[in-house]
């Protein structure tokens, strides 16, 4: 299903209206942690990773980037986010929290380790608005290889869900 900009805005408006009735939304908010690490716990040869590097969440869920190892951050540019979502860039070595209200696919990276392939993907609800577009965003060096692997695994997860 292709979502038009107008439909997308309507959904955002709906989410905004719903947030005035807090108890229902806040009580169901899930928290997801992503660790920023120097070594992949599943493969010690792989350096500089977000763990997990793929998250599937629901709109309104809270994401916490944990500064488990030092010298990392999380950054997302607007060409790697659903339409209308503000880009972010966290401070190096600090924990960072993010609430993702807009459905879609979110690609992000670590500013100092982008060339080492320190990248990640968050899928929020229905990702059909920008998932395929995000795959076509040009990546360089090891980020290119890591995103290729991430999207292959995300494809499988989404296929299982459908
Ligand atoms: Cu890093």
């Amino acid at each position: 299903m292709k979502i038009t900009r107008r439909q997308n805005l309507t959904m955002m408006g709906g989410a905004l209206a719903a947030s005035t009735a807090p108890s229902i939304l806040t009580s169901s908010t899930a928290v997801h942690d992503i660790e920023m690490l120097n070594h992949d716990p599943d493969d010690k040869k792989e350096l500089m990773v977000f763990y997990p590097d793929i998250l599937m969440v629901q709109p309104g869920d809270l994401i916490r980037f944990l500064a488990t190892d030092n010298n990392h951050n999380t950054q997302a540019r607007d060409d790697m986010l659903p339409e209308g979502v503000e880009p972010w860039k966290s401070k190096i070595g600090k924990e960072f929290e993010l609430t993702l209200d807009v459905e879609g696919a979110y690609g992000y990276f670590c500013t100092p380790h982008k060339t080492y392939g320190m990248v990640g993907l968050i899928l929020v609800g229905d990702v059909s608005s920008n998932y395929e577009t995000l795959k076509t965003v040009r990546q360089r060096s090891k980020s290119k290889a890591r995103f290729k692997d991430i999207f292959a695994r995300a494809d499988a997860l989404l296929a299982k869900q459908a």
Side-chain angles (χ1 to χ4, degrees):
M1 182 183 73
K2 179 147 172 49
I3 296 174
T4 64
R5 185 182 160 77
R6 180 174 297 275
Q7 282 170 318
N8 198 25
L9 287 172
T10 307
M11 291 192 313
M12 286 166 64
L16 212 63
S19 68
T20 56
S23 58
I24 300 164
L25 270 187
T26 49
S27 63
S28 65
T29 298
V31 180
H32 307 269
D33 289 340
I34 298 174
E35 291 190 273
M36 301 187 282
L37 300 174
N38 295 340
H39 297 270
D40 185 341
D42 299 330
D43 182 353
K44 295 285 185 192
K45 292 191 299 293
E46 291 294 322
L47 304 177
M48 314 303 178
V49 296
F50 290 100
Y51 190 83
D53 57 2
I54 302 176
L55 262 189
M56 289 181 99
V57 307
Q58 291 307 309
D61 284 0
L62 180 72
I63 313 297
R64 293 191 306 197
F65 289 91
L66 305 181
T68 308
D69 289 330
N70 213 344
N71 301 318
H72 304 289
N73 79 337
T74 168
Q75 180 179 359
R77 298 184 318 230
D78 57 7
D79 65 343
M80 294 170 69
L81 297 172
E83 195 173 310
V85 174
E86 282 292 309
W88 70 77
K89 185 176 182 181
S90 73
K91 290 201 174 72
I92 303 275
K94 299 282 185 206
E95 185 174 320
F96 183 68
E97 291 188 356
L98 203 57
T99 300
L100 303 179
D101 294 316
V102 180
E103 292 192 288
Y106 295 65
Y108 61 89
F109 55 91
C110 168
T111 314
H113 301 122
K114 198 175 180 220
T115 53
Y116 293 79
M118 189 164 171
V119 297
L121 177 69
I122 304 172
L123 306 172
V124 181
D126 177 358
V127 299
S128 59
S129 66
N130 76 325
Y131 181 70
E132 291 302 324
T133 312
L134 181 58
K135 284 183 179 176
T136 67
V137 173
R138 191 173 189 148
Q139 306 291 343
R140 289 198 176 84
S141 61
K142 195 155 186 200
S143 290
K144 192 172 176 177
R146 285 256 177 96
F147 264 125
K148 197 178 168 192
D149 174 59
I150 284 171
F151 280 121
R153 283 182 283 129
D155 282 349
L157 287 171
L158 290 167
K160 213 187 295 176
Q161 206 184 36

